[in-house]
Amino acid sequence: MIRRFATVLAIGFVASLSGIFALPALAQEPTAAIIPNLIAPNHDGAQISVTVTRGLTSNKSLRTSALRRARDAMHKGEHVAADDLRSLAQAGDGLAAQRYVRLLLARDEAANPSDIAYFSAVAVGTGRVWTLRNMVKAMHQLDPKTEPKERITKYIQVLYPHAWAGNTLALEAVTAFNGNGQLFGPLSEKTRLRILEQSRKNGDGRIELGMAMSLLERSRAASTPNPDDLAQARSLLEQASASGHLAVSTSAQNLLRLIDKDKTDDT
């Protein structure tokens, strides 16, 4: 079965070429392999928004008259310098953060992924969920060893409420960034159970499919496959096969058939 694993990855690839997110296995073992889930999340689910912080609601707390003028100009739709947008974003203005992220993205390779992730988080935290995809994409480029702790705290502060509210993109990010060597550190049992609970509520089976694929990939890479990994993968695939998402259920069902065929071939 493990030799034929690439066949099922091809099925997922045909189902969707977009929405590539790495999903760790969330198993008890600390070193799960990571492979891509090639099936894009539900668009509506990725638009679920939560206001985590009110953000900057007036000019009163701004420390200089220049920043106050810049904020007034921004709300009038006038041009505002990048440095002023950055300062306003650092003060908690979600609109300024969103506009600053757009400027950073326009710089292409010159942009700092940490800045994109952080200021996107400021924007998303104030309810501008359309910046979430930029945030997550940039976070995948960050080094857990060098990313400032205060920024990681901000990512957690923003992502978790969105994930628990049912935002599919945020839930995948919480899944991807928890684990040994990952941005959020080792996965706690509480978080693992909450991820699985929310995934069941979402009902599309993508998290379960990604977890199963990672377990199977880990078994493929091991000199002696772990029977517990295969058993857990089967359980997750059975859950994913009941998904209303056609690509997810089809991929899960094909993997289950390959597992069964492998057992037949070995007897």
Side-chain angles (χ1 to χ4, degrees), residues 10 104 123 129 176 185 188 211 247:
L104 291 176
V129 72
S188 71
M211 291 161 59

Side-chain angles (χ1 to χ4, degrees), residues 7 10 41 46 70 86 100 119 130 157 167 199 207 218 226 253:
T7 302
R86 184 184 178 100
Y100 185 60
F119 289 107
W130 42 89
Q157 178 192 40
N167 186 295
S199 182
I207 297 295
R218 181 164 64 189
N226 185 341
Q253 290 162 15

Side-chain angles (χ1 to χ4, degrees), residues 48 163 165-168 171 197-205 207:
I48 293 174
N167 186 295
T168 52
L171 184 63
E197 176 188 357
Q198 187 57 54
S199 182
R200 285 191 292 270
K201 289 180 181 178
N202 289 355
D204 64 7
I207 297 295

Side-chain angles (χ1 to χ4, degrees), residues 75-211:
H75 283 283
K76 293 176 182 177
E78 299 173 3
H79 172 75
V80 178
D83 288 346
D84 286 337
L85 286 175
R86 184 184 178 100
S87 295
L88 289 170
Q90 289 174 324
D93 192 300
L95 177 59
Q98 182 186 63
R99 294 191 176 182
Y100 185 60
V101 168
R102 289 173 180 168
L103 288 179
L104 291 176
L105 291 172
R107 296 175 182 174
D108 298 324
E109 296 180 0
N112 182 342
S114 179
D115 281 348
I116 294 173
Y118 176 73
F119 289 107
S120 292
V122 173
V124 174
T126 60
R128 292 167 173 83
V129 72
W130 42 89
T131 316
L132 178 60
R133 195 169 299 279
N134 293 326
M135 173 185 170
V136 173
K137 182 178 180 181
M139 287 175 66
H140 279 294
Q141 302 176 54
L142 303 180
D143 184 344
K145 296 178 181 179
T146 59
E147 186 67 7
K149 297 298 182 183
E150 63 273 15
R151 291 195 169 191
I152 293 176
T153 298
K154 182 66 174 180
Y155 307 147
I156 292 172
Q157 178 192 40
V158 170
L159 280 178
Y160 277 51
H162 281 81
W164 307 151
N167 186 295
T168 52
L169 181 55
L171 184 63
E172 286 189 352
V174 169
T175 306
F177 296 122
N178 272 283
N180 282 6
Q182 302 301 320
L183 198 62
F184 293 169
L187 176 70
S188 71
E189 179 65 7
K190 180 180 179 181
T191 300
R192 187 183 75 87
L193 293 175
R194 187 69 183 272
I195 288 171
L196 290 171
E197 176 188 357
Q198 187 57 54
S199 182
R200 285 191 292 270
K201 289 180 181 178
N202 289 355
D204 64 7
R206 295 188 74 258
I207 297 295
E208 289 86 347
L209 178 60
M211 291 161 59

